[in-house]
Amino acid sequence: MARVQIVGAGVAGFTLTRELIQRGYRGEIVLCDPQGLPYDRPPLSKALRREHFMPASWYAEHGVHLRTEAINDPALPEAADEWLVLATGSRAKKLTVPGAEHALSLHTADEAELIARRLDQGMFAMPVAVIGAGLVGAEFASAARQAGAQVTLFSASSAPLARVLGEEMARELHAAHRRNGVACVDAAVTEVGPDYVVAAGQRHEAALIVAAVGAEADTTVAEGLGLAVDDGILVDDAQRVIGQRQVLAIGDAARRVDHPRAVHWEAAMDDAAIAAAVITGQPAPSRKIDWFWSDRHDAHVEVVGDFSRASSHISRLGRRGNLEAVFGLDSAGNLVAASMVDGGLLSKALRRLMDAGVSPTAEQLADPSVGPRELAKAGRS
Ligand SMILES: Cc1cc2nc3c(=O)[nH]c(=O)nc-3n(C[C@H](O)[C@H](O)[C@H](O)COP(=O)(O)OP(=O)(O)OC[C@H]3O[C@@H](n4cnc5c(N)ncnc54)[C@H](O)[C@@H]3O)c2cc1C
């Protein structure tokens, strides 16, 4: 019988399941994850809350076999209508300083719920140390501050995420922590204790310590199967694992050959839609330009494209002198990346332009009177 076995039920594994159903796939779908009913990760660091994609009844209704178990050595498909899809995602990197075991990690729903309980049980203005000011660390620092904690954020850099947001935006957003009552220590943490953190030789008291020092692809299953792995399971443009016909890899765990590994929600959804098309033999949707968002304090931050491809930047200031957007241009002057604060319409216009391979001019990008609608038109002229 035709069968798809999906290992991992994060947004990639879940979206593949939904896409297969929507595309009328008639075979058996087996979705396995030891974490149980699939849930969405972004709300974990913003609200410390578990949000399921669908209730258990949805899977039953559509005949999906949802298995709460880890599959560590799945069989490689033998028949022409059998597929194995690895959607094993990423896992939190470990802090490696003395006493690191005293810091909690924030990557799974169980970890988010444990941290939420500790915050609830703590006194008002509980001293909280957050180690790492990347996307997850910055969002959690903001959520803890909003919950009334006295937060100290430790970052080895004063512009964390510069390669992701563009240097100017990274600096601005990091500085915004201080304006929102978060104490920032821009120095590497060298030691952690049960109720303290040491950085730059200074000891900082903390009743709760959370480490968010990045994530890495979880390739354990792929490596066990002897599949091609290099900072992610190596796949082609159709998400096929290199050298395999019926083994696909999607989401954070996968990396397309000659591309950086995409580690965002939207990219995982794109991978899943392409994989579903491959399995059902339908035309694959085109891959969209990279896009992700992050919420911290009162700012909704969006990033389109890839700043690692930019050789120069243009900043756009708002009427009050605030930094609204940073644009990254390649050496030929084409727009390859943009980061913006509360710029929903701008982000939409730029995504559309970049998906179409069209670039506004540097002058248009620099001119704050050229709004999203004009930019979209400008790009066409
Ligand atoms: C706290 C947090 C906040 C985030 N916020 C944002 C955001 O605001 N915007 C954004 O764009 N992105 C955000 N991300 C990133 C985004 O969530 C990921 O890019 C996305 O989850 C990737 O989906 P995935 O399905 O590939 O992997 P994952 O979500 O990591 O899911 C992989 C699943 O595979 C399972 N698994 C692993 N090994 C096995 C095995 N052997 N057998 C069975 N199952 C297995 C794991 O249990 C896990 O559930 C955030 C991530 C985190 C951790």
Side-chain angles (χ1 to χ4, degrees), residues 338-358:
S339 56
M340 60 224 91
V341 177
D342 298 329
L345 290 176
L346 181 60
S347 150
K348 220 181 250 178
L350 295 178
R351 283 164 69 194
R352 213 170 287 152
L353 282 177
M354 289 163 83
D355 277 335
V358 176

CSV table of all heavy atoms in Angstrom, one decimal, residues 338-358:
chain,number,residue,atom,x,y,z
A,338,ALA,N,15.8,43.0,3.5
A,338,ALA,CA,15.2,44.1,4.2
A,338,ALA,C,14.8,43.7,5.6
A,338,ALA,O,14.3,42.6,5.8
A,338,ALA,CB,14.1,44.7,3.4
A,339,SER,N,15.0,44.6,6.6
A,339,SER,CA,14.4,44.3,7.9
A,339,SER,C,13.6,45.6,8.3
A,339,SER,O,14.0,46.7,7.9
A,339,SER,CB,15.5,44.1,8.9
A,339,SER,OG,16.5,45.1,8.9
A,340,MET,N,12.5,45.4,8.9
A,340,MET,CA,11.7,46.5,9.2
A,340,MET,C,10.9,46.3,10.5
A,340,MET,O,10.7,45.2,10.9
A,340,MET,CB,10.7,46.8,8.1
A,340,MET,CG,9.8,45.7,7.7
A,340,MET,SD,9.6,45.5,5.9
A,340,MET,CE,10.9,44.3,5.6
A,341,VAL,N,10.5,47.5,11.1
A,341,VAL,CA,9.7,47.4,12.4
A,341,VAL,C,8.3,47.9,12.1
A,341,VAL,O,8.2,49.0,11.5
A,341,VAL,CB,10.4,48.3,13.5
A,341,VAL,CG1,9.6,48.3,14.7
A,341,VAL,CG2,11.8,47.8,13.8
A,342,ASP,N,7.3,47.1,12.5
A,342,ASP,CA,5.9,47.5,12.3
A,342,ASP,C,5.7,47.9,10.8
A,342,ASP,O,5.0,48.9,10.6
A,342,ASP,CB,5.5,48.6,13.3
A,342,ASP,CG,5.6,48.1,14.7
A,342,ASP,OD1,5.4,46.9,14.9
A,342,ASP,OD2,5.9,48.9,15.6
A,343,GLY,N,6.3,47.2,9.9
A,343,GLY,CA,6.2,47.6,8.5
A,343,GLY,C,5.4,46.5,7.7
A,343,GLY,O,6.0,46.0,6.7
A,344,GLY,N,4.3,46.1,8.1
A,344,GLY,CA,3.5,45.1,7.5
A,344,GLY,C,3.3,45.3,6.0
A,344,GLY,O,3.6,44.4,5.2
A,345,LEU,N,2.9,46.5,5.6
A,345,LEU,CA,2.6,46.7,4.1
A,345,LEU,C,3.9,46.8,3.3
A,345,LEU,O,4.0,46.3,2.2
A,345,LEU,CB,1.9,48.1,4.0
A,345,LEU,CG,0.5,48.1,4.5
A,345,LEU,CD1,-0.1,49.5,4.4
A,345,LEU,CD2,-0.4,47.1,3.7
A,346,LEU,N,5.0,47.3,4.0
A,346,LEU,CA,6.3,47.4,3.3
A,346,LEU,C,6.8,46.0,3.1
A,346,LEU,O,7.2,45.7,2.0
A,346,LEU,CB,7.2,48.2,4.2
A,346,LEU,CG,8.6,48.4,3.6
A,346,LEU,CD1,8.6,49.1,2.3
A,346,LEU,CD2,9.5,49.2,4.6
A,347,SER,N,6.7,45.2,4.1
A,347,SER,CA,7.2,43.8,4.0
A,347,SER,C,6.4,43.1,2.8
A,347,SER,O,7.0,42.4,2.0
A,347,SER,CB,7.0,43.1,5.3
A,347,SER,OG,6.8,41.7,5.1
A,348,LYS,N,5.1,43.3,2.8
A,348,LYS,CA,4.3,42.6,1.8
A,348,LYS,C,4.7,43.0,0.4
A,348,LYS,O,4.9,42.2,-0.5
A,348,LYS,CB,2.8,42.9,2.0
A,348,LYS,CG,1.9,41.8,1.8
A,348,LYS,CD,0.5,42.2,2.0
A,348,LYS,CE,-0.1,41.6,3.2
A,348,LYS,NZ,-1.5,42.0,3.5
A,349,ALA,N,4.9,44.4,0.2
A,349,ALA,CA,5.3,44.9,-1.1
A,349,ALA,C,6.7,44.4,-1.5
A,349,ALA,O,6.9,44.0,-2.7
A,349,ALA,CB,5.3,46.4,-1.0
A,350,LEU,N,7.6,44.4,-0.5
A,350,LEU,CA,9.0,43.9,-0.9
A,350,LEU,C,9.0,42.4,-1.2
A,350,LEU,O,9.7,42.0,-2.1
A,350,LEU,CB,9.9,44.2,0.3
A,350,LEU,CG,10.2,45.7,0.5
A,350,LEU,CD1,11.1,45.9,1.7
A,350,LEU,CD2,10.7,46.4,-0.7
A,351,ARG,N,8.2,41.6,-0.5
A,351,ARG,CA,8.2,40.2,-0.7
A,351,ARG,C,7.7,40.0,-2.2
A,351,ARG,O,8.2,39.1,-2.9
A,351,ARG,CB,7.3,39.5,0.3
A,351,ARG,CG,7.9,39.3,1.6
A,351,ARG,CD,7.0,39.0,2.7
A,351,ARG,NE,6.4,37.7,2.5
A,351,ARG,CZ,5.3,37.2,3.2
A,351,ARG,NH1,4.7,38.0,4.0
A,351,ARG,NH2,4.9,36.0,3.0
A,352,ARG,N,6.7,40.7,-2.5
A,352,ARG,CA,6.1,40.5,-3.9
A,352,ARG,C,7.1,40.9,-4.9
A,352,ARG,O,7.4,40.2,-5.9
A,352,ARG,CB,4.8,41.4,-4.0
A,352,ARG,CG,3.8,40.7,-4.9
A,352,ARG,CD,2.5,41.4,-4.9
A,352,ARG,NE,1.8,41.2,-3.6
A,352,ARG,CZ,0.9,42.1,-3.1
A,352,ARG,NH1,0.7,43.3,-3.7
A,352,ARG,NH2,0.2,41.9,-2.0
A,353,LEU,N,7.8,42.0,-4.7
A,353,LEU,CA,8.8,42.5,-5.7
A,353,LEU,C,10.0,41.5,-5.8
A,353,LEU,O,10.4,41.1,-6.9
A,353,LEU,CB,9.4,43.8,-5.3
A,353,LEU,CG,8.6,45.1,-5.5
A,353,LEU,CD1,9.3,46.3,-4.9
A,353,LEU,CD2,8.4,45.3,-7.0
A,354,MET,N,10.5,41.0,-4.6
A,354,MET,CA,11.6,40.1,-4.6
A,354,MET,C,11.3,38.7,-5.2
A,354,MET,O,12.1,38.1,-5.8
A,354,MET,CB,12.3,40.1,-3.2
A,354,MET,CG,12.9,41.4,-2.9
A,354,MET,SD,13.3,41.6,-1.2
A,354,MET,CE,14.8,40.7,-1.0
A,355,ASP,N,10.0,38.3,-4.9
A,355,ASP,CA,9.6,37.0,-5.5
A,355,ASP,C,9.6,37.1,-7.0
A,355,ASP,O,9.8,36.2,-7.7
A,355,ASP,CB,8.2,36.6,-5.0
A,355,ASP,CG,8.2,35.9,-3.7
A,355,ASP,OD1,9.3,35.3,-3.3
A,355,ASP,OD2,7.2,36.0,-2.9
A,356,ALA,N,9.3,38.3,-7.5
A,356,ALA,CA,9.2,38.5,-9.0
A,356,ALA,C,10.6,38.9,-9.5
A,356,ALA,O,10.7,39.1,-10.7
A,356,ALA,CB,8.2,39.7,-9.3
A,357,GLY,N,11.6,39.0,-8.7
A,357,GLY,CA,12.9,39.3,-9.1
A,357,GLY,C,13.1,40.7,-9.6
A,357,GLY,O,14.0,41.0,-10.4
A,358,VAL,N,12.3,41.6,-9.0
A,358,VAL,CA,12.4,43.0,-9.4
A,358,VAL,C,12.9,43.8,-8.2
A,358,VAL,O,12.6,43.5,-7.1
A,358,VAL,CB,10.9,43.5,-9.7
A,358,VAL,CG1,11.0,45.0,-10.0
A,358,VAL,CG2,10.3,42.7,-10.8
